[in-house]
Amino acid sequence: MVALRSAEKCGVLGLISRDGAAAAPVEVMGLKFPNRVGLAAGLDKDGDTIDALGRLGFGCVEIGTFTPRPQGGNPQPRVFRLIPHEAIINRMGFNNPGIDAGVANVRKSKTYRGIVGINIGKNKDTPNENAADDFLACLRQAYPVAGYIAVNLSSPNTPGLRDLQGAEASARLLDILKTEQLKLAAEHGKHVPLVFKVAPDLDDAHIRDLARVFLDGGLDGLIATNTTLDRAAVLDHPRADEAGGLSGRPLLQKSNEVLRAFASHLGGRIPIIGVGGISSPEDAREKIQAGAALVQIYTAFIYHGPKLVRDLARLLPLVVLTCLCGNALL
Ligand SMILES: Cc1cc2nc3c(=O)[nH]c(=O)nc-3n(C[C@H](O)[C@H](O)[C@H](O)COP(=O)(O)O)c2cc1C
């Protein structure tokens, strides 16, 4: 990230990425995305690398997760590469400079023309009874500068956070946040979409109940999915037992199943951003076919670098076309 920022500052990134990603704009949640490929939350945790990441071709950069107060996250080591599986286990624990610093960083970004999503969470020491206050504080701060706001209910690394994904708890939270969104829309004269990010570790009944909550509550968008606690696909690896969330290739199928289930319950009424395990255009095609309107990557960007961003952005318009025709050419 330091190298990226330096390369951007001295103009090198602008030169080497001049061809950028193919422009194939798409409108989702009322926002115009320059292409369908976004960077998932958790890489630009501070939001201070937006311009450089934009140069690499991302149509959307989701920054954070931010909490109301800054926090250091879990002790290191807290990120592990499972190289043969092209996977990562992380237990970062929302290390971040706090929402105010995040918003200040967004204001400093100069050249990026894509969509900036701001991902928000709760501080580790905030009890779940008061979680809504943390989300509200972040929502208010982020609203003026965000393209959309992603409410993270699904990190496995903040104790108790995933309990907020219960149907009742998420209905209550959605109601509180939508009420505030309405007020903020009037105050700022713009509607900033509110998106929930869910875990892949949900069973069918839970997905059905959540989908009902999201439809009834008027959620603007859904991000499926975060990392998984399931280790079935990497049991042979010596790091498999590390605590945290697993991402990358081994997550693809599980994440797709959850995406497909949400898509079938939501019936196209709430757009879905598909994330989890994409490491090739073929994987992205599966996400689109499963019901995603946009995709995001994280782990495969670590393993494959910027070329993957450009390949995905270039090929996805074709993928969508072939999906619409019901004929997968890829
Ligand atoms: C090191 C690391 C840190 C992450 N931090 C966050 C985070 O702060 N907030 C969040 O919503 N997701 C976070 N994620 C999850 C990713 O945004 C993404 O949902 C997940 O990794 C699945 O996508 P992938 O298989 O393409 O990596 C993190 C993932 C990794 C690998």
Side-chain angles (χ1 to χ4, degrees):
M1 298 297 273
V2 171
L4 267 179
R5 283 194 295 274
S6 307
E8 167 64 8
K9 239 184 213 149
C10 64
V12 175
L13 268 192
L15 291 178
I16 59 175
S17 60
R18 191 164 278 167
D19 59 335
V26 55
E27 195 171 318
V28 177
M29 303 186 289
L31 302 171
K32 203 163 190 185
F33 292 76
N35 63 54
R36 290 181 197 262
V37 186
L39 176 68
L43 183 61
D44 192 358
K45 289 241 182 217
D46 296 2
D48 58 0
T49 316
I50 296 170
D51 288 340
L53 290 161
R55 291 266 189 220
L56 303 183
F58 286 109
C60 166
V61 175
E62 190 172 310
I63 61 172
T65 298
F66 295 104
T67 52
R69 285 166 287 119
Q71 61 179 35
N74 289 322
Q76 295 179 357
R78 53 193 182 182
V79 188
F80 308 89
R81 289 189 191 207
L82 286 66
I83 292 172
H85 295 281
E86 289 190 21
I88 288 176
I89 292 176
N90 94 83
R91 50 170 179 271
M92 301 290 280
F94 290 172
N95 51 307
N96 80 100
I99 187 66
D100 290 351
V103 167
N105 283 337
V106 177
R107 292 192 195 280
K108 277 186 222 153
S109 97
K110 292 191 191 86
T111 56
Y112 186 51
R113 297 285 166 264
I115 300 294
V116 176
I118 300 189
N119 184 304
I120 60 175
K122 73 166 194 76
N123 278 111
K124 186 179 176 183
D125 58 4
T126 301
N128 271 7
E129 308 86 86
N130 303 337
D133 294 338
D134 276 16
F135 285 109
L136 274 175
C138 290
L139 176 65
R140 288 184 190 120
Q141 292 306 105
Y143 200 91
V145 299
Y148 67 85
I149 292 169
V151 176
N152 186 355
L153 303 177
S154 48
S155 168
N157 301 317
T158 294
L161 185 72
R162 285 186 170 192
D163 296 343
L164 298 173
Q165 284 182 140
E168 244 175 69
S170 53
R172 212 173 315 122
L173 183 63
L174 181 55
D175 183 44
I176 292 170
L177 296 179
K178 284 298 287 186
T179 305
E180 187 64 21
Q181 181 196 33
L182 258 183
K183 281 192 211 151
L184 290 165
E187 195 179 312
H188 295 279
K190 63 171 185 174
H191 171 84
V192 177
L194 197 63
V195 173
F196 274 18
K197 181 166 178 179
V198 293
D201 307 311
L202 300 172
D203 62 32
D204 284 345
H206 197 159
I207 292 173
R208 188 199 53 220
D209 293 348
L210 277 179
R212 176 51 41 215
V213 166
F214 296 159
L215 286 168
D216 291 347
L219 188 67
D220 299 300
L222 181 70
I223 304 180
T225 66
N226 213 311
T227 56
T228 181
L229 291 169
D230 189 348
R231 294 293 190 268
V234 296
L235 283 178
D236 58 329
H237 197 280
R239 290 288 194 191
D241 287 338
E242 291 291 350
L246 174 73
S247 58
R249 256 187 210 283
L251 174 59
L252 182 71
Q253 290 319 321
K254 192 182 181 83
S255 181
N256 283 356
E257 279 161 30
V258 170
L259 165 62
R260 210 170 285 119
F262 268 112
S264 106
H265 291 297
L266 296 175
R269 282 165 288 175
I270 297 177
I272 308 178
I273 302 175
V275 50
I278 296 175
S279 48
S280 68
E282 170 63 24
D283 298 338
R285 178 181 65 80
E286 271 187 52
K287 289 274 187 226
I288 300 278
Q289 281 187 325
L294 303 166
V295 299
Q296 290 181 338
I297 58 170
Y298 185 147
T299 303
F301 179 58
I302 303 301
Y303 280 101
H304 297 283
K307 183 173 181 299
L308 179 62
V309 185
R310 288 196 296 273
D311 286 351
L312 292 176
R314 197 163 36 83
L315 286 171
L316 275 181
L318 176 66
V319 165
V320 172
L321 205 66
T322 56
C323 284
L324 287 176
C325 300
N327 169 28
L329 289 177
L330 285 172

